[in-house]
Amino acid sequence: MTSANTPVRLQAVAAPDQPEVTPALESLYEGFKEELLVPLWTEIGDLMPPYPRSRAVAHLWRWDRLRQLAAQAGELVPVGRGGERRAIALANPSLGGRPFATPTLWAAIQYLMPGEDAPEHRHTQHAFRFVVEGEGVWTVVNGDPVPMNRGDFLPQAGWNWHAHHNATREPMAWIDGLDIPFQYNNESQFFEFGRDQIGEAERITPERSRSEQLWAHPGLRPVSVTDAGAGSPLLAYKWEHTDRALADQLDLDHQGFPGVVEPGHAAVRYADPMTGGDVLPTIRAEMHRVTTGTQTAPVRETGSSVYQVFDGSGSVTVGEHTWSVVRGDLFVVPSWQPFSVRSESGATDSDSGALDLFRFSDAPMFEALRLNRVITEGLDR
Ligand code: 1HN
């Protein structure tokens, strides 16, 4: 690539059948440069690669260290209007130091101290929270207090008011996923401050939110609602449901009936109860359970994912990297890099006796644009 202040170097033109370098050709390239023009034939290899070459790289962040740093931030840095959230984002090492886990996805650890409030606001970015440990925080969405506990998944579609409160005597950490890099690059973001304080009526800790009373009944939707808006109207997917769905898939697998992704590998997708589609317009979320000793087949997909180990231990392979992982660890799978998992969980390090992996990805965008491709390599394990 030629930048504005480097001299034109014609010998760098890699396209075949290029003419001999003459003063006339040099002057042509000088003209291009002066007028801020770039000929396709010098760039095509980068612009149109034969298969996706992600700008992001595979990377692993250890939960122990993230939680330690988030706890330090809890002691040193207040949360309030302006900064809005004590959220500390994963910065992919090849995305220029920006708080971008992948070219489309933001992932952060958020930390709230006992009694603390994160103020109300709304934004066009679609978001979710996932809780790997702790309890006692609730998030207030459009005035509906939604409790957050270990294993719960809470989608937060864009432009809904939301605030968080920690009602306990313990700090609490969770992860946030948003489509910030996508909206940042596509210049579609709006943001508004809400009330500085949530109302007293919203400071109760209900066992279930109003949204769950309306929407959290399998296969049943309220007749009264005909348009629930963009994104799932169900604001919390409780762990007990996810856990049972995975256990039931594996039970069927044991009995020899179909239902799992592959032997020893159960998975569910969080779905919008109104549409059956993804929970958010831009983000897909799933939970995978891989039984001890199972090695999954390597999969390559367009689009990027972020995983968090919810429970158990094992090793994950992303492209050239293989890492041993334990509860809470987060890692990125860039576009088109082969990904596979081996569960090494023992009964002592996991409630289910398996490796449970939470995953979120930008798949809905790729599917909407028909850019989704997936291949599974060598199904013999
Ligand atoms: C946000 O509103 C939350 O509501 C978390 O918890 C992370 C990152 C950037 C911008 C807004 C939240 C965020 C965020």
Side-chain angles (χ1 to χ4, degrees):
M1 242 188 301
T2 315
S3 88
N5 47 14
T6 49
V8 173
R9 296 195 45 200
L10 294 187
Q11 54 274 45
V13 176
D17 301 325
Q18 289 301 299
E20 215 181 295
V21 178
T22 59
L25 194 71
E26 272 175 345
S27 137
L28 172 67
Y29 278 85
E30 283 301 339
F32 288 156
K33 195 176 152 193
E34 277 164 27
E35 298 302 329
L36 302 176
L37 300 169
V38 178
L40 173 63
W41 59 87
T42 64
E43 299 283 322
I44 191 160
D46 181 46
L47 293 178
M48 296 203 171
Y51 55 85
R53 294 187 183 129
S54 184
R55 283 177 290 136
V57 292
H59 196 79
L60 171 78
W61 288 262
R62 296 280 181 202
W63 182 247
D64 266 0
R65 187 72 180 124
L66 286 177
R67 197 183 29 195
Q68 218 175 46
L69 288 165
Q72 275 177 328
E75 298 295 336
L76 297 171
V77 183
V79 63
R81 198 43 103 206
E84 301 296 297
R85 299 293 183 260
R86 192 184 289 111
I88 305 155
L90 311 184
N92 193 288
S94 70
L95 295 178
R98 304 290 299 162
F100 300 163
T102 81
T104 51
L105 301 172
W106 157 293
I109 179 173
Q110 185 167 161
Y111 202 81
L112 214 49
M113 297 294 276
E116 260 183 348
D117 281 307
E120 190 178 59
H121 64 209
R122 64 176 177 177
H123 40 72
T124 48
Q125 289 86 356
H126 300 294
F128 72 81
R129 333 216 169 277
F130 178 71
V131 185
V132 72
E133 62 188 22
E135 59 192 329
V137 165
W138 74 84
T139 183
V140 182
V141 181
N142 299 326
D144 185 11
V146 192
M148 296 168 55
N149 295 298
R150 172 165 157 80
D152 295 350
F153 169 76
L154 294 93
Q156 172 80 83
W159 216 236
N160 290 293
W161 294 111
H162 56 286
H164 315 310
H165 178 70
N166 183 347
T168 70
R169 290 160 193 264
E170 299 294 324
M172 184 164 154
W174 65 89
I175 64 162
D176 298 304
L178 292 91
D179 59 7
I180 294 174
F182 171 74
Q183 293 213 22
Y184 180 86
N185 283 308
N186 292 291
E187 303 173 344
S188 57
Q189 321 94 307
F190 291 85
F191 175 91
E192 279 180 5
F193 295 126
R195 299 166 296 174
D196 282 335
Q197 292 290 328
I198 54 169
E200 276 314 307
E202 295 156 46
R203 286 179 175 280
I204 50 159
T205 317
E207 201 182 306
R208 285 184 309 158
S209 57
R210 298 199 289 272
S211 101
E212 287 161 273
Q213 287 185 269
L214 209 50
W215 290 100
H217 308 290
L220 302 170
R221 58 179 254 208
V223 169
S224 60
V225 184
T226 52
D227 177 14
S232 177
L234 177 56
L235 297 177
Y237 293 66
K238 284 203 192 318
W239 173 243
E240 61 187 271
H241 304 298
T242 313
D243 185 33
R244 191 176 321 131
L246 293 167
D248 274 350
Q249 279 189 16
L250 288 172
D251 181 50
L252 287 171
D253 187 31
H254 248 76
Q255 297 179 47
F257 293 104
V260 293
V261 177
E262 53 190 338
H265 175 189
V268 287
R269 179 178 303 167
Y270 296 94
D272 178 336
M274 186 77 183
T275 64
D278 284 294
V279 276
L280 295 167
T282 51
I283 297 177
R284 172 166 297 168
E286 298 171 346
M287 182 67 82
H288 292 250
R289 177 166 291 169
V290 182
T291 57
T292 306
T294 297
Q295 163 82 56
T296 67
V299 177
R300 282 179 193 264
E301 283 180 69
T302 48
S304 50
S305 295
V306 179
Y307 284 79
Q308 185 175 35
V309 178
F310 177 66
D311 209 0
S313 60
S315 63
V316 297
T317 301
V318 188
E320 327 248 274
H321 302 270
T322 296
W323 297 293
S324 287
V325 291
V326 295
R327 184 185 281 195
D329 291 350
L330 287 140
F331 57 92
V332 162
V333 180
S335 188
W336 213 242
Q337 295 208 7
F339 171 62
S340 61
V341 179
R342 183 174 174 76
S343 171
E344 287 150 15
S345 301
T348 48
D349 70 347
S350 157
D351 292 342
S352 67
L355 175 63
D356 286 348
L357 290 173
F358 172 76
R359 173 194 191 185
F360 70 101
S361 77
D362 51 16
M365 296 190 259
F366 282 70
E367 289 185 2
L369 300 173
R370 303 203 171 215
L371 295 172
N372 53 309
R373 279 204 206 193
V374 52
I375 55 175
T376 304
E377 295 172 350
L379 278 166
D380 51 317
R381 284 182 300 283

